[in-house]
Amino acid sequence: MPVNKAKPLNNKTFDSIIIGSGVGGLAAAICLSRAGQKVLILEQHDVPGGWCHSFYLNGDRFTPGVHYVGLVGEGLSTSELYEGLGVANDMAFYRQNPDAFEHCWIGDERFDYPADFKTFENRLIQRFPHEKKNIIKYLKLVKNVGHQLGLIAKIKTVWQQITIPFRTKHMGKYSPFSLKRVIGWHIKDPLLQRVLNIQFGNHGLAPAKASFLMHAAIMHHYHHGGFYPMGGGGAIVKAMTNAIKMKDGIIKTSTSVKRILLENTGKIKKAIGVELTDGQQIFAKCIISNADPGITYQKLIGEEHLSTKLKKKLSKTKYSCTSLMLFITVDMDVTKAGIDSGNIWRMPNKDMDDLYADMQKKDLLEDEEFPGMFISCTTLKDPSSYDGKHHTIEAITYIDYDAFESFKGENIERSKAYLQFKEQIIAKFFVTLEKVIPGISNHVTQKELGTPLTNKYYINSTRGSVYGTEKSLKHIGPFAYKSKSEIENLYMCGASIVSHGVAGASYSGVQTAATILGCRQDDLIKPSDEQHLKVFEAEDDTNYPDWMTKKIDMKHSKLKAKKV
């Protein structure tokens, strides 16, 4: 990674200091540095990227927070984002199986999400013909809401401001309601409800608490299918950090911020810099926190400096669930078990609110299997990473942070009890994995488990949360934390501001930069004829360019050389 570990920065002054190098902070840094600002990014981990960073186990790459991305393709918002940031030429994406980028395993029932939304509608109607009218009506609503949410950031003229209520009428009508309530109004078949709610894992909330608007936005985000970055999430981070470095921005890793420095002028508090854990003080005209609100306001600022209103909001803020993530390498052909580049959502055929309650049980070893699991094979989503023999698999389930309450005081040197607990959890993961890929236990060459404590240590998220603030009705839209804080010159970006996910967090950084620069989001990510995001098929190598074919052949050759 292109990081800068140069001389100490004590008493130096920058235009903007960004705390945390998640993609929100990196996007903000790109926009500000292109506007001529002198930018410094401070990251407590030893690599930049936050949830999007990649790590390696004996040469095999894993990415804890990037599993797929939507709206990749010509004229779609994720491609427009990367092209507008000037980083698209340094990235490539693979399209996951277009016929089944999502596999729904609901008890003994199976249903595949195709990339084309009309095909998706037809497939649902074929499977649930008695719900035909309801399916058409519900998916039309989802599509309308997704489109209308995208209009908000594109308001340019006074006339558009006046007419936006009419052009976003579906969004406004359904914004106060939960996913469970809205889908219950439209869909009656319980299995069909579960199929349509399967992506609830992308916001980590039970349908009764989840916002319908948030779920519709997620379904819209993936209505052209799922895409995976060549090189994993780290490739996105590398392209973004290279762009920052090209504009003389500085990224300091292994550098923790102890507190944000404030200047009091009467009733006005102003952020003027940061103090590092080693005592260095660095100053800037603007401070941007890419950390979550709890870390930013309660730890880096301190509640004694906050208004009563903000303290009350913080006391009521809930954070998203946390996770267990199993990373494994196997020396077997997983495609013989039917595994492809599509994701697998596996769960019992039961009410999803009850399912979520089961996932949040404090005793993780109570049952034989974890009730819900997300499983994907990254070497099939990114063929350039496959060496011809070894596949890498990531399996994830969501849990309550309190399940690790007894271990939360431990440092990185973990206790014997903690390590034994991890081994028991890993064994439980394999009960499910054996049912998905029979015989997998006999082909594991390496395995590692990430826990809520892992999340907290490396990502520095409150309670190890995976999506920042809880994405319930009380924490999104007008109730979300704002990019401009009550403290002068202090701004925020990231998953708790605009939206979570790779694209959502990145767009939050652009919006924060626009707030600082006094312009609109679209002014900072204008279309460029010189940038084009390359997209290839994960399931079809016939059109791979020579450089990609050579890259894949080289990995295979290295494996053969090791055998010799």
Side-chain angles (χ1 to χ4, degrees), residues 270-285:
K270 180 188 294 186
I272 59 171
V274 299
E275 181 179 319
L276 307 183
T277 52
D278 66 2
Q280 288 190 72
Q281 292 190 344
I282 314 166
F283 301 92
K285 299 172 185 176

Side-chain angles (χ1 to χ4, degrees), residues 89-306:
N89 291 347
D90 296 325
M91 292 191 288
F93 278 77
Y94 288 103
R95 182 168 74 146
Q96 295 168 243
N97 184 356
D99 190 56
F101 75 96
E102 303 272 48
H103 299 288
C104 304
W105 290 33
I106 304 175
D108 295 328
E109 303 289 345
R110 301 288 182 268
F111 184 87
D112 293 333
Y113 273 46
D116 178 72
F117 210 64
K118 187 63 179 176
T119 304
F120 177 52
E121 180 183 282
N122 292 337
R123 189 172 290 180
L124 286 170
I125 292 170
Q126 184 178 8
R127 181 69 180 274
F128 303 95
H130 54 289
E131 291 268 28
K132 179 178 179 179
K133 290 183 179 179
N134 294 334
I135 289 169
I136 292 171
K137 186 177 180 180
Y138 181 73
L139 292 185
K140 184 178 180 181
L141 173 62
V142 167
K143 197 170 184 179
N144 283 338
V145 169
H147 172 70
Q148 290 166 17
L149 284 167
L151 293 176
I152 301 299
K154 298 184 181 295
I155 297 174
K156 297 179 181 179
T157 65
V158 174
W159 176 248
Q160 287 176 331
Q161 291 177 352
I162 294 171
T163 60
I164 196 69
F166 301 97
R167 294 186 293 133
T168 59
K169 60 182 180 180
H170 296 94
M171 186 190 78
K173 179 180 179 180
Y174 290 96
S175 61
F177 301 112
S178 70
L179 170 60
K180 185 171 186 174
R181 179 169 292 190
V182 176
I183 202 167
W185 287 335
H186 292 81
I187 305 295
K188 304 308 175 185
D189 188 298
L191 177 60
L192 176 55
Q193 288 180 348
R194 289 160 200 167
V195 168
L196 289 169
N197 287 348
I198 199 79
Q199 292 173 324
F200 85 101
N202 286 322
H203 48 73
L205 267 183
K209 288 194 70 176
S211 157
F212 166 69
L213 258 61
M214 178 62 72
H215 194 79
I218 287 170
M219 287 193 71
H220 182 264
H221 183 69
Y222 292 112
H223 81 283
H224 285 280
F227 300 80
Y228 191 79
M230 185 176 78
I236 298 174
V237 176
K238 183 176 181 179
M240 296 179 83
T241 52
N242 280 344
I244 295 165
K245 189 177 180 181
M246 287 288 291
K247 293 294 183 180
D248 297 322
I250 298 174
I251 304 169
K252 296 270 289 183
T253 57
S254 301
T255 306
S256 295
V257 174
K258 180 180 179 181
R259 65 188 178 109
I260 295 172
L261 300 174
L262 301 180
E263 178 181 86
N264 293 330
T265 307
K267 293 183 179 180
I268 298 175
K269 293 184 175 66
K270 180 188 294 186
I272 59 171
V274 299
E275 181 179 319
L276 307 183
T277 52
D278 66 2
Q280 288 190 72
Q281 292 190 344
I282 314 166
F283 301 92
K285 299 172 185 176
C286 292
I287 308 297
I288 303 173
S289 178
N290 194 187
D292 66 44
I295 299 296
T296 302
Y297 290 120
Q298 294 171 307
K299 292 189 176 181
L300 299 181
I301 294 291
E303 291 201 0
E304 67 273 18
H305 299 295
L306 306 178

Side-chain angles (χ1 to χ4, degrees), residues 221-445:
H221 183 69
Y222 292 112
H223 81 283
H224 285 280
F227 300 80
Y228 191 79
M230 185 176 78
I236 298 174
V237 176
K238 183 176 181 179
M240 296 179 83
T241 52
N242 280 344
I244 295 165
K245 189 177 180 181
M246 287 288 291
K247 293 294 183 180
D248 297 322
I250 298 174
I251 304 169
K252 296 270 289 183
T253 57
S254 301
T255 306
S256 295
V257 174
K258 180 180 179 181
R259 65 188 178 109
I260 295 172
L261 300 174
L262 301 180
E263 178 181 86
N264 293 330
T265 307
K267 293 183 179 180
I268 298 175
K269 293 184 175 66
K270 180 188 294 186
I272 59 171
V274 299
E275 181 179 319
L276 307 183
T277 52
D278 66 2
Q280 288 190 72
Q281 292 190 344
I282 314 166
F283 301 92
K285 299 172 185 176
C286 292
I287 308 297
I288 303 173
S289 178
N290 194 187
D292 66 44
I295 299 296
T296 302
Y297 290 120
Q298 294 171 307
K299 292 189 176 181
L300 299 181
I301 294 291
E303 291 201 0
E304 67 273 18
H305 299 295
L306 306 178
S307 68
T308 301
K309 181 180 179 181
L310 180 52
K311 283 190 285 187
K312 185 177 180 180
K313 181 178 176 66
L314 287 163
S315 70
K316 293 182 177 181
T317 296
K318 292 184 178 180
Y319 288 85
S320 77
C321 57
T322 186
S323 63
L324 293 169
M325 299 188 187
L326 181 63
F327 307 99
I328 61 175
T329 302
V330 297
D331 59 354
M332 67 182 296
D333 184 358
V334 296
T335 62
K336 290 182 178 179
I339 305 301
D340 59 20
S341 60
N343 309 311
I344 296 173
W345 296 93
R346 187 182 187 277
M347 55 193 63
N349 191 355
K350 65 184 294 185
D351 180 87
M352 283 193 169
D353 290 284
D354 293 338
L355 167 66
Y356 188 79
D358 288 343
M359 295 174 77
Q360 300 302 298
K361 287 181 179 178
K362 303 297 189 295
D363 184 358
L364 297 181
L365 303 179
E366 179 179 335
D367 302 310
E368 182 186 19
E369 287 189 73
F370 289 109
M373 194 173 292
F374 174 91
I375 303 166
S376 69
C377 180
T378 48
T379 40
L380 293 177
K381 292 195 290 190
D382 176 6
S384 71
S385 66
Y386 180 51
D387 66 4
K389 180 180 180 181
H390 300 95
H391 283 293
T392 52
I393 293 172
E394 297 171 352
I396 305 166
T397 191
Y398 291 138
I399 65 169
D400 189 307
Y401 182 77
D402 289 340
F404 276 75
E405 177 73 21
S406 60
F407 301 109
K408 69 178 184 179
E410 295 192 1
N411 55 30
I412 195 61
E413 296 297 326
R414 304 301 190 190
S415 67
K416 184 177 180 180
Y418 174 83
L419 297 176
Q420 288 176 339
F421 189 44
K422 280 181 62 174
E423 288 301 316
Q424 290 175 296
I425 290 172
I426 290 171
K428 187 171 177 177
F429 263 96
F430 274 100
V431 173
T432 300
L433 288 171
E434 277 290 342
K435 295 177 180 179
V436 177
I437 309 172
I440 189 173
S441 301
N442 299 322
H443 294 275
V444 177
T445 61

